Amino acid sequence: MILAMHVQYAFIDSGIGGLPYLEHLREREKNAQAVYVADTANFPYGTKTTAELQEIAIRTVQKIIERFQPELIIVACNTLSVAALDVLRKQFALPYVGTVPAVKVAAEKTKVDKIVLIASEKSVGDAYTANLIKKFSSPERFILKAEQDLIHKIEHGLLFASEAEKDQAVKPVIDFCVSEGADCLVLACTHFLIIEDAFKRVSAGRVNIIESLNGVTEQILRVVPVANAECKENESFLFVTKAETKAENERYQKVAERYRLQFGGVL
């Protein structure tokens, strides 16, 4: 059991969705040392109220600070970023990087002025998302679609499914984009990045798949550059906040191995 440690970067999400952001950071900077906290006790975030999410964020970040003394916290979840980033900044004197829908990028790339944005139920209905669209584009160009069931499937094993199973899971989304005449699809929940390759395969160039990996990584490194000290691969960890069964533990151990992390167990 890892009792206490100091890391530069701490990632938080409701589950495994934010792991592509950690992976992307480590591909850019092999010495980046991080912990990733999958808040499985509170999965999914997308069905909770703003007040509930703010309470969850404060409680979880408090625990992260006490255990890991991070220099930067990355809220690797669109839903939690929208609901709780401002509250976290007021509560804890640390720098933060959030993840928000890549609306601006999509607005710049579309050639037909028709964009589909998929997200959690909470993000689709949140005023923040609506205001972001108004800031960088116009509501008439966007179709917002909740995909809570797909988020659930990704969290509970779709990562390790066959390509055919992944393609089948995302086909209804791509079909919807095509039927609506959209040429851009914004992946506005970090879980969707776990199976980004499936979106691209099924789209086959018919729809641009828009995500925020590069932008978030650039911001992380601007706010807190990677320390020069050499970091071994096994010094980064995945923790969960709940794993009650042997099968759940084995699944998250397998996830940790997939992303070259040590599994630290329950935080």
Side-chain angles (χ1 to χ4, degrees):
M1 180 180 178
I2 309 299
L3 296 177
M5 60 188 293
H6 167 71
V7 298
Q8 274 201 289
Y9 307 104
F11 290 72
I12 178 175
D13 179 46
S14 62
I16 66 173
L19 282 166
Y21 290 88
L22 173 53
E23 181 178 50
H24 196 256
L25 173 65
R26 294 174 76 202
E27 286 172 354
R28 282 279 307 274
E29 296 284 350
K30 65 178 182 179
N31 291 335
Q33 185 189 21
V35 294
Y36 183 98
V37 176
D39 187 16
T40 49
N42 293 299
F43 179 89
Y45 284 164
T47 58
K48 293 178 171 58
T49 66
T50 297
E52 288 172 329
L53 290 168
Q54 290 174 349
E55 181 182 344
I56 288 166
I58 290 170
R59 185 170 64 245
T60 307
V61 168
Q62 178 71 56
K63 189 178 292 187
I64 289 171
I65 291 170
E66 290 172 355
R67 286 283 299 275
F68 307 119
Q69 302 90 48
E71 297 175 31
L72 175 67
I73 291 179
I74 299 96
V75 182
C77 170
N78 287 272
T79 301
L80 199 63
S81 296
V82 166
L85 259 180
D86 288 344
V87 169
L88 288 173
R89 288 185 171 119
K90 292 175 183 176
Q91 186 77 18
F92 304 106
L94 276 173
Y96 297 85
V97 170
T99 54
V100 296
V103 166
K104 182 180 179 183
V105 175
E108 292 170 348
K109 284 200 171 186
T110 183
K111 292 181 172 62
V112 299
D113 289 337
K114 189 65 70 70
I115 300 160
V116 172
L117 182 151
I118 57 172
S120 69
E121 290 176 10
K122 169 66 175 169
S123 292
V124 161
D126 200 281
Y128 182 97
T129 304
N131 291 333
L132 194 66
I133 289 171
K134 289 177 183 176
K135 181 178 179 181
F136 293 111
S137 185
S138 63
E140 294 77 20
R141 303 171 80 190
F142 280 80
I143 302 169
L144 276 57
K145 194 172 188 295
E147 287 288 345
Q148 203 65 49
D149 287 346
L150 182 55
I151 294 169
H152 180 87
K153 290 177 182 177
I154 293 166
E155 180 67 25
H156 293 96
L158 195 56
L159 168 64
F160 298 110
S162 67
E163 283 192 1
E165 289 172 302
K166 292 175 184 176
D167 292 355
Q168 187 63 32
V170 305
K171 186 177 184 299
V173 176
I174 298 300
D175 287 347
F176 178 80
C177 293
V178 173
S179 69
E180 293 293 332
D183 65 347
C184 287
L185 171 65
V186 180
L187 304 183
C189 170
T190 57
H191 274 77
F192 300 144
L193 272 69
I194 295 280
I195 56 169
E196 182 184 3
D197 286 352
F199 283 104
K200 290 180 177 178
R201 277 196 304 271
V202 176
S203 170
R206 292 174 294 169
V207 182
N208 290 313
I209 309 303
I210 310 295
E211 39 78 2
S212 59
L213 278 172
N214 284 327
V216 170
T217 299
E218 291 291 345
Q219 181 65 6
I220 289 169
L221 295 173
R222 274 194 294 267
V223 176
V224 176
V226 172
N228 291 326
E230 186 173 343
C231 171
K232 297 178 182 177
E233 280 194 358
N234 63 1
E235 290 178 351
S236 290
F237 294 82
L238 166 67
F239 291 86
V240 296
T241 57
K242 180 183 179 182
E244 294 183 334
T245 67
K246 181 180 179 182
E248 286 175 337
N249 267 289
E250 288 177 349
R251 184 169 73 246
Y252 288 111
Q253 286 175 345
K254 192 176 177 182
V255 170
E257 291 171 5
R258 158 65 179 81
Y259 285 94
R260 298 181 295 110
L261 303 168
Q262 285 199 66
F263 182 55
V266 177
L267 181 65

